[in-house]
Amino acid sequence: KALNIPLVMSYHTHLPVYAERYMGYIPLIRKSSWQYIKMLHSFADLTLVTSPQVMEEFREQGIRRVAVWRKGVDVDTFNPKHSSAQIKANILTNRGHEKDTVLLYVGRLSVE
């Protein structure tokens, strides 16, 4: 805020649910989790969440600057039909690895 640069945060792990599931023996753990989330995300100009349901929970908790960040891959844009040997060659050649394989790692694919 001091530099006048917008801060966008993303929220992926539903902390109150995990806290209650794994640390439910601690009194008020769910409420404490929400207080922490509210404090942290109050600094954000926008918080992106993973579903409309989580966005609704955020709003119920008084967190207002929230939007849904849709999951998934645009299969029309990222489709093998757009593959280009020339682009691949340019990527590899510019790094001195003409014959190497290009590998893309996606960190997590799961149903939530």
Side-chain angles (χ1 to χ4, degrees):
K1 295 216 183 240
L3 298 175
N4 201 28
I5 299 172
L7 175 62
V8 177
M9 297 180 81
S10 61
Y11 181 82
H12 301 270
T13 302
H14 204 9
L15 181 61
V17 173
Y18 278 80
E20 194 168 56
R21 182 175 299 150
Y22 296 109
M23 299 177 4
Y25 54 89
I26 299 174
L28 303 172
I29 190 67
R30 188 177 185 97
K31 183 177 180 180
S32 299
S33 297
W34 275 115
Q35 288 173 339
Y36 173 75
I37 291 166
K38 286 166 55 172
M39 182 275 303
L40 187 63
H41 289 268
S42 70
F43 295 102
D45 294 293
L46 177 65
T47 296
L48 298 172
V49 297
T50 55
S51 72
Q53 295 81 4
V54 173
M55 181 174 70
E56 183 58 32
E57 283 189 69
F58 266 57
R59 289 184 174 159
E60 288 170 2
Q61 294 294 325
I63 305 167
R64 299 283 173 236
R65 297 178 306 270
V66 182
V68 175
W69 184 1
R70 295 285 177 198
K71 298 175 284 213
V73 174
D74 180 344
V75 294
D76 293 323
T77 301
F78 298 99
N79 188 302
K81 71 182 179 189
H82 301 299
S83 181
S84 166
Q86 182 61 44
I87 291 174
K88 180 180 175 183
N90 287 343
I91 291 169
L92 294 173
T93 301
N94 289 337
R95 288 168 178 75
H97 303 281
E98 300 82 33
K99 301 200 187 279
D100 287 350
T101 300
V102 175
L103 175 69
L104 169 67
Y105 170 73
V106 177
R108 178 175 159 190
L109 297 173
S110 68
V111 176
E112 298 279 332

